[in-house]
């Protein structure tokens, strides 16, 4: 009898875990769809709801950061990107996005560091930003030091 109860508990836990994952996936999809419709505030609300259900899902914070970024809430976006990176340190795209937000805040050194990490982790889009913004910064700082 105890064995049957244990099997039922395991089955219920598995099903509820699957349902929870499904709910989060649906919320992520809904939030992403709202971003594509430029409904950023609504998207943030949806991602907030998803984060309550699954606070350890890096993708939630990455997309919520994007929505905040589009609203020019760069510091808040960086906070979300930081959470996503803490949860998933190899999330190359988030380093790229965080670099963009840092660039908007005129933190060129921080932006370049993030883009270099993003590129090292496989985010090829970061290379153009490195070439355009970071190499010039390095050259300018060398020129200033040599004068």
């Amino acid at each position: 009898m105890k064995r049957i109860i244990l099997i039922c508990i395991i089955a219920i836990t598995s099903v509820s875990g699957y349902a929870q994952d499904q709910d989060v996936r649906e919320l992520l999809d809904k939030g992403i769809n709202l971003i594509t419709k430029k409904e950023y505030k609504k998207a943030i609300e949806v991602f907030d709801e998803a984060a309550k259900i699954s606070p350890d899902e890096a993708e939630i914070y990455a997309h919520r950061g994007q929505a905040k970024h589009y609203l020019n809430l760069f510091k808040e976006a960086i906070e979300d990107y930081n959470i996503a990176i803490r949860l998933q340190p190899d999330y190359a795209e988030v380093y790229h996005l965080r670099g963009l937000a840092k660039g908007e805040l005129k933190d060129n050194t921080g932006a370049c560091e993030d883009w270099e990490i993003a590129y090292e982790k496989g985010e090829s889009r970061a290379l153009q930003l490195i070439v355009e913004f970071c190499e010039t910064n390095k050259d300018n700082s060398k020129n200033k030091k040599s004068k």
Side-chain angles (χ1 to χ4, degrees), residues 48-131:
D48 287 344
E49 189 178 339
K52 288 177 188 171
I53 297 169
S54 186
D56 294 331
E57 178 60 52
E59 189 176 0
I60 295 167
Y61 301 100
H63 289 298
R64 188 172 71 181
Q66 284 181 301
K68 291 176 180 179
H69 191 128
Y70 286 125
L71 290 171
N72 296 325
L73 301 171
F74 303 117
K75 289 181 182 177
E76 292 88 344
I78 290 170
E79 290 172 10
D80 277 342
Y81 297 146
N82 289 341
I83 294 169
I85 289 168
R86 182 177 44 79
L87 292 171
Q88 191 175 331
D90 288 331
Y91 205 155
E93 182 182 3
V94 179
Y95 286 97
H96 174 248
L97 294 170
R98 188 173 71 177
L100 293 172
K102 287 180 178 180
E104 292 289 349
L105 293 173
K106 307 300 183 217
D107 177 6
N108 294 335
T109 301
C112 289
E113 289 170 357
D114 278 349
W115 294 329
E116 287 173 10
I117 294 169
Y119 184 70
E120 289 169 8
K121 293 184 180 293
E123 181 59 54
S124 60
R125 294 179 298 171
L127 181 59
Q128 180 60 39
L129 295 167
I130 293 168
V131 169

Side-chain angles (χ1 to χ4, degrees), residues 9-76:
I9 290 171
I10 292 170
I12 290 169
T13 304
S14 297
V15 170
S16 69
Y18 173 76
Q20 186 178 22
D21 290 345
Q22 191 66 21
D23 290 344
V24 171
R25 183 76 252 160
E26 288 174 10
L27 288 170
L28 274 168
D29 290 343
K30 181 178 179 181
I32 292 166
N33 188 38
L34 287 166
I35 287 175
T36 61
K37 293 179 179 180
K38 299 182 180 183
E39 296 181 35
Y40 307 121
K41 289 181 181 178
K42 287 182 182 178
I44 291 168
E45 291 173 7
V46 170
F47 294 130
D48 287 344
E49 189 178 339
K52 288 177 188 171
I53 297 169
S54 186
D56 294 331
E57 178 60 52
E59 189 176 0
I60 295 167
Y61 301 100
H63 289 298
R64 188 172 71 181
Q66 284 181 301
K68 291 176 180 179
H69 191 128
Y70 286 125
L71 290 171
N72 296 325
L73 301 171
F74 303 117
K75 289 181 182 177
E76 292 88 344

